[in-house]
């Protein structure tokens, strides 16, 4: 209850304040009026003095406003507005009074006194609009007039911004716009301020009106139903305009624009009232023209919405046609006139599009205006000489593309082909300013994320459209090329466009895409491809493969067209083979080929279409039926028809062609012509008129009357309408029909006939494909533009001098690399690398002394270098031949001394630190620049700071000057640049490269090294070869899992180095130790390659003797490490043979022998690593160490012990074989053991001849030990016989030969060795006697033993017989005979003849000791034996002694 007074007080206060405000406005108007004498006096009416009605009404209002009891919203606004509106409409008031009244109305509107809830608000708003738009006032001076016009604009804008504006009708809104435009036009002759205010108000007004569009329901269906066709006819204008020039009532021409301009003669009254009335009636309706439908009066009186917006937008578009209608061409006007109205109209249109762009598609009338009228006008104004107009046109098209591209497919294609691409090329006569604006617009389009992919999908992949994307890419590439000129803004602008396209593709990488990889396509059979539609134009899974398929067809058609132009028959056959035409040609398919294939020779097409052959007549008929002439004038249709081919010259062919055309035209447009014959006759007549008017040889031209007369009674015996023929006549006179159309694709000019056809085609064309951010077609697009793009960016980079341009180019290079790698375009990436490497200045450097300084100072070279290596690190998987160029740069940097030392070493050394223990660290680092110093000739240092360490050092032979500060600074900059390159990562991360790329990298290293080898004339060349080898070994060790890819090339390269080196040098050192390191590192991981790796070490054996001698010790140490680390991984015979061969080589090398023998001991000691596969070579190596005179004799004795100790392995191997192998394999192993044993004793036999006594004697004793056989293994008898022949007898004979020869003096105490040898002979013979006696060849063996004993009895040591031998031989013989007697081996034979063993034995014994027979056989008379007697029986008297003697003999023999 307490709130009511407060509310009442508030309401009362509000009422009072509003009343006071209106009261003050009344006072202001009255005050101004009283200044004028006219308003100060009184008027006489009858006999009473009365005040003027305007003053009286204001005073009456002042009395009433404080007495109105109601709320202001319930008061009719007309009550307090009408006095002010009367003042505004009065033609008696001057400009100051009218201005104050307008201000009052403006104040009332802006204070929201009136809103949509106010009583009678609709009528009030209409009163305001009617009054202000018909404002009348007396002009006294131009300044006051401008004030009034400004206030009119303010009030009208306030009306539209008022909350009550929704109550305005369509007609009133149109009137407001019309009035504002007339003020704009009127202001051209006024001050600058009014012009700016008027134009700004117009913009605001249009934006205010169209801001309602998104919220307005689409009432177009209702609107269309209410169209009043009679209004259109009453307008009486075919292509007219509401403000067309006409005489005003007083007979003066107001304007070339309208008849509604404000009159500003000081002596007259200014008035916009009469003209406003005209607007109220039908000004906008008439302005639509015959091709646009007007709204009826009922719709125009309804609250404003779609109808007025359509009318206003159409009005804005129609402003673009003013110049054409007043008969002034673009180029004949001054720029000022040419720009003013079109530029203003384009600005308004752009504002509308910016504001309501997304909503336009929901309103067919607006969309149709844009499609058919606005775009055609923009095509014209786009070719204007005014850069401002072109810029505004491009801005509108960009907005339309952004909002409505799906509705403007063919319009956009036409704009790019006929405007942007034409103007951006100087060859079409465009000025530099036009080219620049066009290029700027094109770059703006290219910056749109999906622009290029949509251009490609919708146009380049459409058979009936031009290749817009390809044309844009080519234009940008060519425009970026600075041909014989410095870089200009145009070049950089084109570069920006290229970079925008490329970076857009790069950004799409990683987004989910469909079909990004190129796939091979082929058509299996013919189908009418021009009719095929995509199943779903909004789903990339459908449209991406579909457009790629269409592009394939388009390409094949282009090839077919080329063949057709050269030889039509072969062209058709090619298309049949490609399944683009059926195997059996039919008229429809051939007609479609001729109609839709671009690039065909139009002369050929015309000849074939005019052919009298029945098939080609049918083709002509089908060809004509591909055209849509519906709604076209005859001349337009004929122009369109004749643009597709050249009309043949023969009359019969012309007749056939025109007959087909006439039949098709009459079928679709029968409105005026009664039959096809009429169409044919009129077409002929048009062709004749065209020739008459445009042939310079025709002097007397046909007049309009002549043309009409010539076409009498052709329409079924009747005349055609005179207006119709006159229109045809003037159309042909103004615009020639080209009967010889231009050849080639080019960028065509948009003619009216082509535009009409475009509108027809746009209704049937496939939907516009709207793409998202997926890289659906980027691979195909990039393949088209990559080559020209790389070339263009490279040329700009080459010519540029600004770091910002450098960076732009670098960004482009990196984007190209990313795209090429993503789509596996290897050639593109290689080309890019080659191009970039040229800019590093490293491939063709100046003199060595200057190159480092220049490189450090060259920003461009530094950026290019960083980019090259960034690409190599990030996208190395897809580099192939480019590795050669990259490597050339690395080698140059190495020569300059700016490469980090870790480039070749980090790749392997760091992994070794974790993989190898300190005990196994190599003495020689095969891939590090800090490896063993070369023992060959000295060379320059090219490591980190190597170049400057030379400059800073003092050479006694050739003193060097100190480097300057400039050189030091350049060197520091170079180091900083190289640090950014991360060159070491290329090789350290080579394990992640794809196989093919890795192979190419290795191949590049090998080629570079070979080049350096061939030109090895300086230390630098050798250093280059060494560095390449180090890198090659580094990547080999880093790729142990893929060694198969690299091994062959690496091995061959190292082999070439080893076999071509005749003197020690760093290169061969690196090769040998690198090879050893590879084997050492890879053996544990690559068992399947173990043999091949170890076989490669045979290269070391092929070293030149001088080279081998220098590096022998280090080689042995590496081999030792290899064996100790990998002995368990070496299993094959060839592998061991190689290793042992390397060890054997060291036996006679003073420095290497110790390490070599140590390794051999590691293998053979305790049989730890002795295997059947390496036994023979190990024994042979031990023999070589035993025979070696290098070092002390102790090593030889140890070698002999190794040999003898290896016998123990035989039993183990035999036992293992019996347990793990089959019977056959076990038998085979036993045989192998026998052969190995024989090789062992043969080796020992050779050492028995050593000149050193201790070695020789030790060898004999060990041989005796080994000849006892192998425990647990029964060696075959023939093997024992063989051991006597090749071992025992040979040793005994060789010793005898030494004693008897001239070399006896080299052998100290050889007598002792002879004694040991005889004892060995006797002992082994007696040991094996039981087995040997069973052999058929035993007799021969026994006689051999006797023969050696007999010879030893006769031997002379130092000139006289040896007493020891004289004593030893009979004793050994006696013991042997007793054993043989006891075992029944030696018995008297009953056989006759003199060659029995018995007889031969005693013959030899007599030569040695004649008394032995009687001692051994005392009871037997050898001389009187009879045949068959005494067959081996030994008497009892001596039978007990031999065993004792034998034992004692054996003991004596063994103990001696």
């Amino acid at each position: 209850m307490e709130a009511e007074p407060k509310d009442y007080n508030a309401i009362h206060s509000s009422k009072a304040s509003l009343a006071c405000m209106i009261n003050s406005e009344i006072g202001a108007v009255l005050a101004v009026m009283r200044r004028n004498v006219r308003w100060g006096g009184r008027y006489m009416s009858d006999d009473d003095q009365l005040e003027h009605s305007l003053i009286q009404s204001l005073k009456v209002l002042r009395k009433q406003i404080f007495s109105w009891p109601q709320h202001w919203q319930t008061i009719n606004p007309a009550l307090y507005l009408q006095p002010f509106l009367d003042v505004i409409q009065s033609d008696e008031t001057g400009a100051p009074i009218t201005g104050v009244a307008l201000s009052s109305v403006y104040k009332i509107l802006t204070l929201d006194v009136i809103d949509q809830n106010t009583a009678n608000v609709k009528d009030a708003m209409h009163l305001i609009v009617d009054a202000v738009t018909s404002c009348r006032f007396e002009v006294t001076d131009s300044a006051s007039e401008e004030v009034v016009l400004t206030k009119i604009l303010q009030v009208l804008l306030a009306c539209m911004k008022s909350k009550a504006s929704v109550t305005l009708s369509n007609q009133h809104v149109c009137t407001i716009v019309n009035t504002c435009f007339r003020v704009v036009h009127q202001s051209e002759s006024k001050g600058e301020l009014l012009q700016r205010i008027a134009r700004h108000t117009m913009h605001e007004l249009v934006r205010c009106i169209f801001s309602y569009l998104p919220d307005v329901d689409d009432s177009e269906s209702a609107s269309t139903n209410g169209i009043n066709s009679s209004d259109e006819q009453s307008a009486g204008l075919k292509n007219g305009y509401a403000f067309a020039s006409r005489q005003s009532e007083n007979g003066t021409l107001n304007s070339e624009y309208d008849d509604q301009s404000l009159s500003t003669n000081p002596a007259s009254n200014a008035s916009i009232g009469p003209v406003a009335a005209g607007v109220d009636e039908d000004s906008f309706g008439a302005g639509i023209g015959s091709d646009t439908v007007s709204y009826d009066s009922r719709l125009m009186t309804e609250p404003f919405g779609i109808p007025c917006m359509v009318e206003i937008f159409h009005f804005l578009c129609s402003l673009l046609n003013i110049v054409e209608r007043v008969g002034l061409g673009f180029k004949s006007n001054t720029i000022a006139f040419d720009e003013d109205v079109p530029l203003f109209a384009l600005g308004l249109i752009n504002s509308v599009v910016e504001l309501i762009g997304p909503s336009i598609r929901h309103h067919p009338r607006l969309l149709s205006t844009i499609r058919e009228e606005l775009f055609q006008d923009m095509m014209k104004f786009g070719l204007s000489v005014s850069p401002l107009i072109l810029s505004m046109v491009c801005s509108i098209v960009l907005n339309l593309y952004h909002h409505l591209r799906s509705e403007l497919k063919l319009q956009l294609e036409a704009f790019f082909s006929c405007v942007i691409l034409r103007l951006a090329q100087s060859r079409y006569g465009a000025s530099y300013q036009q080219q620049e604006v066009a290029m700027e617009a094109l770059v703006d389009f290219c910056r749109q994320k999906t622009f290029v992919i949509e251009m490609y999908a919708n146009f380049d992949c459409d058979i009936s459209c031009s290749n817009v994307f390809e044309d844009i890419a080519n234009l940008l590439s060519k425009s970026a090329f600075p041909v014989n000129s410095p870089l200009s803004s145009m070049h950089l602008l084109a570069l920006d466009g290229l970079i925008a396209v490329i970076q857009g593709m790069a950004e799409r990488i990683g987004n989910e895409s469909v079909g990004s990889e190129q796939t091979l396509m082929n058509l299996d059979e013919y189908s009418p491809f021009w009719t095929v539609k995509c199943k779903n134009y909004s789903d990339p899974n459908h449209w991406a493969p579909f457009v790629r398929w269409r592009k394939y067809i388009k390409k094949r058609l282009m090839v077919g067209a080329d063949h057709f132009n050269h030889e039509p028959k072969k062209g058709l056959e090619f298309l049949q083979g490609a399944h683009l035409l059926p195997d059996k040609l039919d008229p429809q398919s051939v007609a479609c080929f001729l109609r839709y294939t671009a690039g065909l020779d139009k002369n050929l097409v015309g000849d074939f279409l005019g052919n009298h052959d029945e098939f080609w007549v049918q083709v002509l008929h089908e060809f004509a039926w591909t055209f849509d002439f519906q709604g076209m004038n005859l001349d337009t249709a004929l122009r369109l028809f004749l643009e597709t081919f050249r009309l043949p010259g023969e009359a019969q062919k012309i007749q056939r062609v025109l007959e087909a055309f006439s039949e098709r035209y009459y079928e679709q447009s029968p409105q005026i012509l009664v039959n096809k014959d009429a169409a044919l006759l009129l077409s002929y007549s048009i062709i004749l008129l065209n020739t008459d008017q445009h042939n310079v040889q025709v002097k007397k031209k046909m007049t309009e009357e002549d043309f009409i007369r010539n076409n009498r009674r052709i329409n079924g015996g009747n005349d055609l309408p005179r207006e119709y023929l006159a229109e045809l006549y003037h159309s042909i006179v103004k615009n020639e029909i080209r009967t010889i159309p231009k050849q080639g694709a080019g960028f065509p000019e948009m003619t009216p006939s082509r535009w009409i056809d475009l509108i027809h085609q746009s209704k049937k064309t496939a939907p516009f494909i709207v793409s998202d951010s997926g890289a659906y077609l980027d691979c195909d697009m990039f393949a088209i533009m990559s080559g020209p793009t790389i070339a263009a960016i490279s040329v700009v980079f080459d010519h540029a001098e600004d770091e910002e341009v450098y960076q732009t180019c670098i960004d482009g290079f990196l984007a190209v690399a990313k795209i090429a790698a993503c789509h596996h375009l290897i050639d593109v990436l290689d080309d890019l690398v080659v191009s970039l490497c040229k800019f590093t200045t490293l491939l063709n450097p100046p003199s060595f002394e200057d190159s480092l300084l220049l490189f450090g100072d060259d920003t461009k070279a530094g950026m290019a270098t960083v980019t090259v290596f960034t690409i190599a690190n990030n996208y190395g998987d897809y580099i192939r031949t480019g590795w050669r160029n990259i490597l050339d740069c690395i080698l140059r940097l190495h020569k300059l001394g700016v490469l980090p030392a870790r480039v070749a070493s980090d790749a392997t050394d760091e992994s070794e630190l974790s993989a190898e223990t300190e005990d196994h660290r190599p003495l020689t680092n095969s891939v590090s620049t800090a490896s063993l110093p070369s023992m060959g000739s000295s060379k320059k240092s090219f490591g980190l700071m190597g170049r400057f360490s030379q400059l800073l050092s003092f050479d006694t032979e050739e003193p060097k000057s100190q480097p300057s500060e400039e050189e030091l600074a350049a060197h520091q900059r170079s180091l900083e640049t190289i640090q950014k390159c991360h060159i070491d990562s290329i090789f350290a991360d080579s394990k992640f490269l794809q196989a093919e790329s890795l192979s190419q990298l290795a191949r590049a290293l090998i080629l570079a090294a070979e080049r350096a080898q061939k030109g090895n004339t300086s230390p630098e060349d050798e250093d280059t070869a060494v560095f390449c080898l180090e890198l090659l070994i580094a990547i080999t060790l880093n790729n142990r899992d893929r060694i198969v890819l690299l091994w062959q090339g690496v091995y061959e390269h190292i082999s070439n180095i080893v076999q071509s080196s005749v003197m020690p040098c760093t290169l061969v050192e690196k090769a040998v130790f690198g090879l050893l390191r590879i084997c050492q590192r890879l053996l544990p991981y690559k068992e399947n390659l173990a043999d091949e790796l170890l076989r490669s070490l045979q290269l070391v054996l092929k070293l030149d003797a001088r080279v081998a001698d220098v590096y022998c010790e280090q080689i042995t140490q590496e081999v030792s490490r290899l064996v100790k680390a990998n002995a368990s991984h070496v299993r094959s015979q060839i592998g061991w043979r190689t290793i042992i061969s390397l060890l054997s080589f060291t036996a006679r090398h003073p420095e290497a022998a110790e390490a070599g023998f140590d390794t051999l001991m590691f293998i053979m000691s305790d049989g730890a690593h002795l295997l059947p596969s390496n036994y023979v070579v190990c024994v042979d190596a031990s023999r070589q160490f035993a025979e070696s005179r290098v070092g002390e004799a102790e090593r030889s004795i140890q070698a002999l012990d190794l040999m003898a100790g290896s016998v123990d392995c035989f039993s183990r191997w035999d036992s293992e074989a019996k347990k793990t192998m089959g019977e056959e394999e076990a038998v085979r192993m036993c045989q192998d053991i026998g052969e190995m044993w024989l090789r062992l004793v043969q080796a020992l036999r050779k050492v028995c001849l050593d000149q050193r006594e201790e070695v020789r004697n030790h060898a004999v004793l060990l041989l005796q030990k080994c000849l006892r056989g192998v425990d647990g293994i029964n060696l075959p008898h023939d093997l024992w016989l063989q051991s006597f022949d090749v071992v025992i007898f040979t040793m005994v004979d060789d010793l005898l030969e030494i004693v008897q020869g001239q070399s006896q003096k080299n052998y100290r105490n050889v007598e002792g060795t002879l004694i040991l040898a005889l004892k060995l002979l006797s002992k082994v013979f007696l040991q094996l006697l039981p087995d040997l006696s069973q052999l058929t060849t035993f007799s021969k063996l026994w006689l051999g033993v006797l023969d050696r004993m007999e010879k030893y009895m006769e031997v002379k040591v130092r000139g006289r017989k040896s007493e020891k031998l004289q004593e030893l031989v009979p004793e050994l013989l006696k013991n042997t005979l007793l054993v043989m007697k006891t075992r029944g081996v030696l018995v008297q034979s009953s056989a006759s003849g003199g060659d029995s063993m018995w007889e031969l034995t005693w013959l030899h014994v007599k030569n040695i000791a004649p008394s032995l027979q009687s001692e051994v056989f005392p009871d037997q008379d050898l001389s009187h034996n009879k045949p068959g007697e005494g067959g081996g029986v030994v008497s009892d008297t001596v039978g007990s002694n031999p065993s004792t003697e034998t034992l004692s003999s054996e003991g004596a023999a063994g103990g001696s």
Side-chain angles (χ1 to χ4, degrees), residues 1276-1321:
H1277 296 159
D1278 58 341
L1279 196 61
W1280 285 114
L1281 286 175
Q1282 195 175 357
S1283 68
F1284 269 91
D1285 288 338
V1286 300
V1287 179
I1288 301 173
F1289 288 164
T1290 303
M1291 179 196 66
V1292 172
D1293 293 344
D1294 290 343
L1295 285 171
L1296 185 61
E1297 184 179 346
I1298 290 171
V1299 175
Q1300 293 173 346
Q1302 300 298 322
S1303 58
Q1304 181 179 348
K1305 59 184 179 182
N1306 296 329
Y1307 289 80
R1308 185 172 60 85
N1309 196 14
V1310 72
E1311 182 181 20
T1313 307
L1314 293 174
I1315 292 170
L1316 291 174
L1318 272 179
K1319 289 181 178 180
L1320 180 149
L1321 174 64

Side-chain angles (χ1 to χ4, degrees), residues 28-40 96-97 100:
V29 174
L30 289 173
V32 175
M33 293 180 73
R34 290 190 182 105
R35 289 181 183 176
N36 194 315
V37 177
R38 178 192 302 178
W39 305 103
I97 300 172
V100 174

Side-chain angles (χ1 to χ4, degrees), residues 1061-1076:
S1061 298
V1062 294
M1063 291 296 291
C1065 63
T1066 306
L1067 181 60
V1068 71
E1069 175 190 345
K1070 296 291 185 183
V1072 170
F1073 294 115
L1075 181 61
L1076 287 165

Side-chain angles (χ1 to χ4, degrees), residues 879-925:
I879 297 175
R880 298 294 183 265
T881 57
W883 283 123
R884 301 181 187 181
N885 300 79
I886 293 172
L887 194 58
D888 287 341
C889 294
I890 293 175
L891 294 179
R892 186 62 187 172
L893 292 171
H894 175 65
K895 289 182 180 180
L896 293 176
V898 293
L899 278 186
R902 66 177 184 273
V903 166
S905 61
D906 277 3
T908 53
D909 289 350
E910 290 180 3
S911 59
E912 287 179 7
L913 285 173
S914 59
E916 298 183 355
T917 62
E918 197 64 34
D919 293 338
H920 293 148
R921 287 292 294 165
L923 296 178
T924 302
N925 185 352

Side-chain angles (χ1 to χ4, degrees), residues 293-590:
V293 183
S294 299
Y295 291 101
D296 62 13
S297 56
R298 179 181 61 82
L299 286 175
M300 295 304 290
T301 57
E302 291 181 356
F304 86 94
I306 296 297
C308 77
M309 295 182 194
V310 171
E311 295 292 347
I312 293 169
F313 192 76
H314 176 71
F315 164 66
L316 298 178
C317 294
S318 66
L319 291 178
L320 298 174
N321 293 318
I322 290 175
V323 176
E324 183 179 355
R325 274 194 296 274
V326 297
L328 297 173
F330 291 130
K331 296 182 181 180
S332 63
N333 297 317
T334 63
I335 292 293
F337 181 84
D338 194 14
E339 286 180 350
D340 188 37
V341 174
L343 196 58
F344 175 62
L346 289 169
L348 292 173
I349 292 170
N350 192 42
S351 296
V352 172
V353 174
E354 287 174 344
L355 189 66
I356 64 168
S359 304
I360 295 176
R361 70 179 70 249
H362 305 301
H363 303 284
R365 289 286 301 277
L366 283 174
L367 185 59
S368 176
T369 302
I370 291 173
R371 278 175 172 169
E372 300 176 16
E373 185 175 350
L374 176 60
F375 250 100
Q376 185 179 18
D377 293 334
M378 289 195 298
M379 297 283 286
K380 297 174 185 175
F381 280 95
L383 299 175
S384 165
V385 296
S386 169
L388 288 175
I389 290 180
L390 175 59
S391 179
M392 184 57 70
V393 167
C394 292
S395 297
I396 295 173
V397 175
L398 181 60
N399 282 316
L400 290 173
Y401 166 80
H402 183 68
H403 296 300
L404 297 173
R405 58 184 180 274
S406 60
E407 311 294 337
L408 302 170
K409 177 178 178 178
L410 297 186
Q411 286 84 351
L412 288 171
E413 180 201 10
F415 182 77
F416 283 110
S417 297
C418 302
V419 178
I420 296 294
L421 294 173
R422 281 175 64 90
L423 291 179
Q425 299 187 75
S426 57
R427 61 178 178 167
Y428 286 97
S431 66
Y432 181 83
Q433 289 79 10
Q434 286 177 294
Q435 294 178 54
E436 193 169 26
V437 172
M439 187 62 71
E440 287 172 351
L442 189 57
V443 172
D444 286 339
F445 277 102
C446 291
R447 291 190 177 114
Q448 309 305 308
K449 297 299 182 184
T450 62
F451 172 73
V452 291
I453 190 172
E454 288 175 350
M455 293 299 103
Y456 183 77
N458 288 287
F459 304 127
D460 292 58
C461 295
D462 192 323
I463 298 167
S464 59
C465 296
S466 58
N467 294 329
V468 174
F469 165 75
E470 192 170 345
D471 292 337
I472 290 174
N474 290 335
L475 172 63
L476 292 174
S477 301
K478 292 177 182 177
S479 299
F481 265 89
V483 182
N484 299 325
S485 62
L487 279 178
S488 67
S489 59
M490 183 70 77
H491 297 134
L492 298 180
L493 199 56
L495 176 68
D496 286 342
L498 272 182
I499 302 298
V501 174
I502 292 298
Q503 287 185 331
M505 292 183 183
E507 289 171 6
R508 286 193 287 272
I509 291 174
N511 296 337
E512 190 173 347
S513 59
V514 180
S516 62
E517 298 296 330
Q518 292 194 51
T519 54
L520 294 175
M521 296 186 180
N522 198 10
L523 298 179
D524 297 327
E525 59 182 11
Y526 167 77
S527 62
F529 50 83
W530 59 87
T531 63
V532 177
K533 304 292 182 184
C534 180
K535 294 180 181 178
N536 188 343
Y537 284 94
S538 59
D539 183 0
N541 292 291
H542 288 90
W543 65 252
F546 174 72
V547 299
R548 192 174 285 114
W549 172 79
R550 283 199 312 189
K551 183 61 177 176
Y552 169 79
I553 290 178
K554 191 173 184 179
K555 288 180 179 178
R556 302 300 287 172
L557 278 175
M558 294 301 101
V559 177
D562 188 60
H563 285 301
F564 180 84
N565 291 341
H566 287 89
E567 195 168 345
K569 185 177 180 181
K570 287 188 177 180
L572 295 176
E573 290 174 354
F574 169 82
L575 292 167
Q576 287 176 298
H579 301 294
L580 295 175
L581 287 177
D583 294 336
K584 183 179 180 181
L585 294 177
D586 64 80
Q588 184 184 25
S589 62
V590 176

Side-chain angles (χ1 to χ4, degrees), residues 1339-1374:
S1339 175
K1340 180 181 178 182
L1341 176 64
W1342 166 238
L1343 293 175
V1345 173
L1346 289 174
D1347 183 56
R1348 269 75 182 178
M1349 287 185 173
E1350 183 178 350
K1351 290 179 179 179
Y1352 268 59
M1353 281 294 291
E1354 302 297 327
V1355 71
K1356 291 182 180 181
V1357 179
R1358 302 190 186 278
R1360 59 188 179 85
K1361 291 185 177 181
S1362 171
E1363 294 179 0
K1364 292 182 180 181
L1365 289 174
Q1366 294 292 319
E1367 294 175 3
L1368 180 63
V1369 173
E1371 183 181 350
L1372 292 175
L1373 179 58
K1374 179 181 179 181

